[in-house]
Amino acid sequence: MKPYVILNAAMTLDGKIATKTGSSEISGKEDLERVHEIRKEVDGIMVGIGTVLADDPRLTVHKINAKKEDNPIRVVVDNKARTPLDYRILNDDAETIIAVSNICDESNPNCDADAVNRAKEISKKADVFYSSRESVDLSEFMEYLYSRGIETLMLEGGSTLNFSMIRENLIDEVKICIAPMIVGGKDSKTFFDGEGFDYMKEAVPLKLEKYYPLGKDFVMEYKVLK
């Protein structure tokens, strides 16, 4: 069993979610409120370590009226346990679960001593999930999250985590806000990155369920066909 995973993101008309410098201020006010309404409804919200290091995000419900108990469990995929101890993801606004790879596990003969120590320090502030593989096994991690009571999970990942999740057939729904702007740049971050598929026949099919304008932006909602 795994959570029902909703991938949500905002991108420019040319498919960029951040510039080459990491600037990602794309959504308008109305879309930010929409995102926080979703956060309020789900059990967990997940990002990758790249997003944590770039943005120091709170991953809480704060753009709309909400109470502390409305905050979802914060989830981070962090292979090498690089989450800084003073970042907001580890404050007491909500519970946090951080997935690390087996290089952080001292029972692994091939572990990295520094990574082991970093994971131990993180475990003082968050629940640390040790994957059985050198790169976090996302399917294994989804099963763990479900066992922790996370039945709905909002993915606000970067482009690499987004692709890893969809490649493993772990995303159920995609909600995308398209902003009326073009940023260009071959080094800008796209909605999906990673290794990519070699052939179009391998592409993940989607079904458009809903679309609507929202302020200056346009939102499209898809179901992932499996």
Side-chain angles (χ1 to χ4, degrees):
M1 300 293 288
K2 74 169 193 68
Y4 182 88
V5 178
I6 303 166
L7 169 58
N8 185 82
M11 70 179 185
T12 61
L13 186 60
D14 55 335
K16 309 297 185 181
I17 61 173
T19 67
K20 62 183 178 181
T21 65
S23 176
S24 59
E25 300 82 5
I26 297 174
S27 293
K29 176 178 180 293
E30 296 88 351
D31 184 59
L32 289 173
E33 291 175 349
R34 177 189 67 87
V35 171
H36 283 252
E37 290 286 358
I38 300 173
R39 287 186 179 185
K40 192 174 181 179
E41 294 172 359
V42 297
D43 301 316
I45 176 171
M46 185 168 81
V47 297
I49 183 59
T51 297
V52 171
L53 295 177
D55 300 336
D56 186 16
R58 284 182 277 180
L59 298 189
T60 57
V61 183
H62 56 269
K63 296 293 185 183
I64 59 174
N65 290 330
K67 298 172 289 188
K68 185 175 180 179
E69 51 264 37
D70 292 322
N71 292 330
I73 296 175
R74 302 170 297 194
V75 179
V76 182
V77 177
D78 180 8
N79 283 319
K80 299 178 182 179
R82 293 186 293 151
T83 300
L85 298 177
D86 60 346
Y87 269 35
R88 295 185 293 183
I89 198 77
L90 294 177
N91 65 25
D92 63 359
D93 286 344
E95 184 180 353
T96 302
I97 300 173
I98 297 186
V100 299
S101 75
N102 66 3
I103 69 166
C104 303
D105 186 351
E106 62 184 346
S107 67
N108 174 15
N110 297 316
C111 69
D112 179 289
D114 291 336
V116 168
N117 290 331
R118 290 195 299 269
K120 285 182 178 180
E121 289 301 310
I122 290 172
S123 69
K124 296 176 182 178
K125 295 189 172 187
D127 174 21
V128 176
F129 169 82
Y130 290 86
S131 179
S132 62
R133 297 186 180 181
E134 191 170 335
S135 183
V136 171
D137 184 319
L138 293 170
S139 294
E140 180 183 69
F141 187 39
M142 290 301 106
E143 291 179 7
Y144 176 75
L145 293 179
Y146 191 85
S147 75
R148 288 291 313 276
I150 298 178
E151 296 185 4
T152 53
L153 178 68
M154 183 179 182
L155 171 61
E156 290 190 25
S159 53
T160 301
L161 180 57
N162 288 347
F163 181 73
S164 295
M165 286 286 288
I166 202 136
R167 179 187 58 198
E168 298 298 319
N169 200 28
L170 296 174
I171 295 175
D172 300 283
E173 190 174 338
V174 176
K175 297 178 186 288
I176 181 71
C177 169
I178 301 175
M181 60 177 75
I182 292 174
V183 70
K186 64 182 178 62
D187 295 322
S188 297
K189 290 293 185 180
T190 58
F191 188 19
F192 289 90
D193 200 342
E195 296 177 0
F197 296 114
D198 291 331
Y199 302 100
M200 285 296 177
K201 65 182 180 181
E202 299 173 322
V204 176
L206 309 174
K207 179 183 179 183
L208 181 62
E209 296 280 340
K210 189 176 180 181
Y211 56 92
Y212 52 93
L214 186 62
K216 66 180 180 63
D217 303 318
F218 193 79
V219 177
M220 295 190 293
E221 300 182 0
Y222 293 87
K223 289 285 188 182
V224 177
L225 302 179
K226 300 182 179 181

